[in-house]
Amino acid sequence: MNHATAEAMVGRERILRPRRGWLALDWRELWAYRELFLFLAWRDILVRYKQTYVGVAWAALQPLLMMVILTFVFRTLGRFPSPGAAPYEVLVFAGLMPWQFFANALTECSGSLVASERMITKVYFPRLIIPASAVLSGGVDFLVAALILGAMMLGFGLPCHWQLWLLPLFFGAAVLAALAVGLWASALNVRYRDVKYVVPFIVRMGLYVSPVGFVSSAVPETWRFWYNLNPMVGVIDGFRWCVLGPAFEPYWPGFMVSMGIVLLLLVTGVMYFRQMERTFADVI
């Protein structure tokens, strides 16, 4: 029995007041609504492939097809190098995993509040749960992609490096990056519906300006530091390092810049979301 249900059964009256301060996150309240958070995440997973012919197999087909296309474009046509003679297919797939998680999470997150209009206007619960559950629902696709990556590593005979143990840390960085940008997009989309047109553009362009089909070391030295202002550059470089070993060690000064941008976006995203949250039910 959760906190909200217990209050209803004992007949206590709950008075809701705007919290002071910009952040003012109520962690106890968020924990009390953890069942709703998990339910929304599970609902998003079920709805994602509902009424499709191949169902969850799309979670495997999409990255595989993208890997084939990007390998053809960047290796065959663009003749981009692969450090350490690593298989280009694995290089691309290791970059696709965090990028697709980020892209899917951002797309789902940006429209999550508008899609939950009826819930928001009828009952109270921490609104932060909605975009956060949208990010979590992409974890299933990521697990499927991880299984494919493991099979590819076995198929190409790649050795296991100690850096593989660090993969969960970089997945955590991908989650934070998706949540940071998703909070901004979901809150802005409530007031400005232009966001639903901007997000697909960002996702399409981001695939080519992020080091998904090539390695970030291909970027000229004078531009590498600034290139890492893209928060996904550090995350993708870290994934490749974990999968393919020392030849793909990230450019650490740039990596720190990418993580700094992620944290900045996350803190300001939470602040903006909390500031706008009180108006969601009125303007949605």
Side-chain angles (χ1 to χ4, degrees):
M1 180 185 305
N2 60 34
H3 183 65
T5 308
E7 284 185 347
M9 292 187 65
V10 298
R12 286 190 295 182
E13 183 181 5
R14 188 174 193 182
I15 301 174
L16 304 176
R17 294 191 180 92
R19 294 186 176 278
R20 295 181 180 277
W22 282 88
L23 281 174
L25 282 179
D26 189 338
W27 295 103
R28 288 183 59 186
E29 185 182 54
L30 289 173
W31 177 252
Y33 283 88
R34 62 188 180 281
E35 292 178 8
L36 177 61
F37 170 74
L38 295 174
F39 171 78
L40 292 177
W42 181 244
R43 181 202 62 177
D44 290 343
I45 292 170
L46 293 178
V47 168
R48 177 171 298 179
Y49 298 111
K50 188 178 182 182
Q51 293 184 334
T52 58
Y53 188 72
V54 296
V56 74
W58 279 114
L61 289 174
Q62 289 183 81
L64 284 173
L65 292 173
M66 287 299 299
M67 179 199 70
V68 171
I69 293 170
L70 292 177
T71 300
F72 176 74
V73 171
F74 287 98
R75 183 187 66 182
T76 307
L77 298 182
R79 300 191 181 282
F80 278 75
S82 175
Y88 210 89
E89 293 84 353
V90 182
L91 181 153
V92 169
F93 201 87
L96 267 174
M97 281 180 61
W99 173 256
Q100 285 223 309
F101 174 81
F102 174 81
N104 291 338
L106 175 58
T107 303
E108 297 292 332
C109 218
S110 62
S112 60
L113 290 175
V114 175
S116 304
E117 175 187 355
R118 291 187 178 181
M119 287 180 62
I120 291 174
T121 54
K122 287 183 169 56
V123 294
Y124 172 78
F125 60 93
R127 310 313 194 206
L128 195 62
I129 284 177
I130 297 177
S133 63
V135 172
L136 179 67
S137 65
V140 174
D141 290 7
F142 184 85
L143 286 176
V144 172
L147 293 175
I148 297 172
L149 178 64
M152 291 177 69
M153 292 178 68
L154 288 175
F156 282 101
L158 296 178
C160 291
H161 303 279
W162 65 265
Q163 289 91 344
L164 269 176
W165 293 100
L166 300 179
L167 203 58
L169 293 179
F170 289 99
F171 175 65
V175 171
L176 291 181
L179 184 61
V181 183
L183 286 176
W184 272 105
S186 60
L188 284 170
N189 193 37
V190 173
R191 185 174 292 272
Y192 309 103
R193 299 302 165 87
D194 311 71
V195 173
K196 69 180 179 182
Y197 300 104
V198 173
V199 167
F201 175 77
I202 292 175
V203 169
R204 282 196 295 271
M205 294 302 296
L207 176 66
Y208 294 100
V209 300
S210 300
V212 178
F214 55 91
V215 290
S216 59
S217 58
V219 176
E221 193 69 31
T222 52
W223 289 100
R224 286 199 67 185
F225 183 84
W226 301 107
Y227 185 56
N228 281 269
L229 290 176
N230 176 349
M232 286 306 293
V233 172
V235 177
I236 293 171
D237 284 351
F239 261 73
R240 284 211 178 97
W241 180 52
C242 293
V243 173
L244 295 169
F248 291 81
E249 185 171 355
Y251 171 59
W252 292 112
F255 176 81
M256 298 306 294
V257 170
S258 290
M259 293 302 99
I261 295 293
V262 169
L263 291 178
L264 178 65
L265 288 172
L266 182 62
V267 172
T268 56
V270 173
M271 291 167 63
Y272 181 72
F273 191 94
R274 292 291 295 173
Q275 184 69 13
M276 299 302 296
E277 185 179 19
R278 67 193 67 177
T279 66
F280 285 165
D282 298 324
V283 300
I284 198 167

